[in-house]
Amino acid sequence: TRGQFNRAVRGLSNCLRLPFTQVTCNMVINRLNYRDVPAHASFLSKLSSAPSVRAPLSLLLSVMEENPRWDLLCVPHRTAAPYIRLACEQGALPIRRFMGDWTMPVCVAGLGESSPCLAPLARRDSPTWYAPKGWGPSVATPPEDCRRVKAPACRACPMDPVCAGLGRTYAGKFGIE
């Protein structure tokens, strides 16, 4: 709607002027905005560097995976990862780890190398299934109680204990390699 962006920026600026607060902006990465991650981080960095700012600002990323409109909005992780990596390498704004079930494994496009803080914390309420070698959605379905899927090679990754893997819907559409 008309003027919504300006009102949101004004509200965010007001929050940033408050003492003893921390401000986090959440960006849900999807097919429509993944190219904008570096510009979004840069914009927020400039906003948070105003002389009147008293609160730290960080950017939290999540990816569109499990959603009724998923097929319309989801972007393959390998497509979005270079833009996330660029935003991390710019270093203008702290970027926080991925959130909850909407995570992107840090092994994708070397994200862990560019910003180890992006390593997601595996959720204990989301059981993970290690797919057999050569698995594809047409080969077998993950067990019903497993919402997350990992490749066999994940077992050798140092991030395996904390990485949440891929959502089963994402894995079914794009695969796990």
Side-chain angles (χ1 to χ4, degrees):
T1 60
R2 187 177 300 249
Q4 185 176 5
F5 177 78
N6 291 336
R7 286 194 301 270
V9 170
R10 194 167 41 251
L12 184 57
S13 296
N14 289 339
C15 289
L16 290 169
R17 284 196 291 268
L18 296 173
F20 311 113
T21 60
Q22 292 182 342
V23 180
T24 302
C25 290
N26 181 18
M27 181 176 187
V28 179
I29 299 168
N30 60 51
R31 184 176 295 181
L32 304 175
N33 70 3
Y34 71 92
R35 291 179 189 93
D36 300 326
V37 174
H40 190 71
S42 178
F43 171 77
L44 290 173
S45 175
K46 288 176 186 152
L47 193 65
S48 68
S49 62
S52 61
V53 168
R54 299 173 76 181
L57 173 67
S58 61
L59 176 62
L60 179 112
L61 302 173
S62 52
V63 291
M64 184 65 70
E65 279 193 0
E66 311 287 337
N67 184 289
R69 297 181 185 228
W70 187 84
D71 281 336
L72 299 173
L73 295 174
C74 187
V75 60
H77 293 333
R78 291 196 188 283
T79 303
Y83 296 92
I84 297 167
R85 185 178 181 128
L86 180 60
C88 291
E89 289 169 353
Q90 288 173 349
L93 183 74
I95 296 179
R96 294 179 49 198
R97 71 185 63 202
F98 290 101
M99 182 175 90
D101 271 346
W102 298 278
T103 62
M104 181 184 296
V106 293
C107 60
V108 176
L111 286 177
E113 297 158 19
S114 92
S115 183
C117 71
L118 287 177
L121 294 177
R123 290 182 51 172
R124 303 222 187 286
D125 63 343
S126 297
T128 301
W129 178 63
Y130 287 87
K133 190 167 179 65
W135 178 82
S138 60
V139 175
T141 306
E144 201 56 43
D145 65 333
C146 292
R147 294 181 56 204
R148 311 295 296 176
V149 178
K150 288 187 178 184
C154 294
R155 291 187 191 274
C157 177
M159 291 286 189
D160 187 46
V162 296
C163 181
L166 298 167
R168 68 186 284 140
T169 306
Y170 177 92
K173 182 173 178 86
F174 296 114
I176 58 172
E177 296 303 326

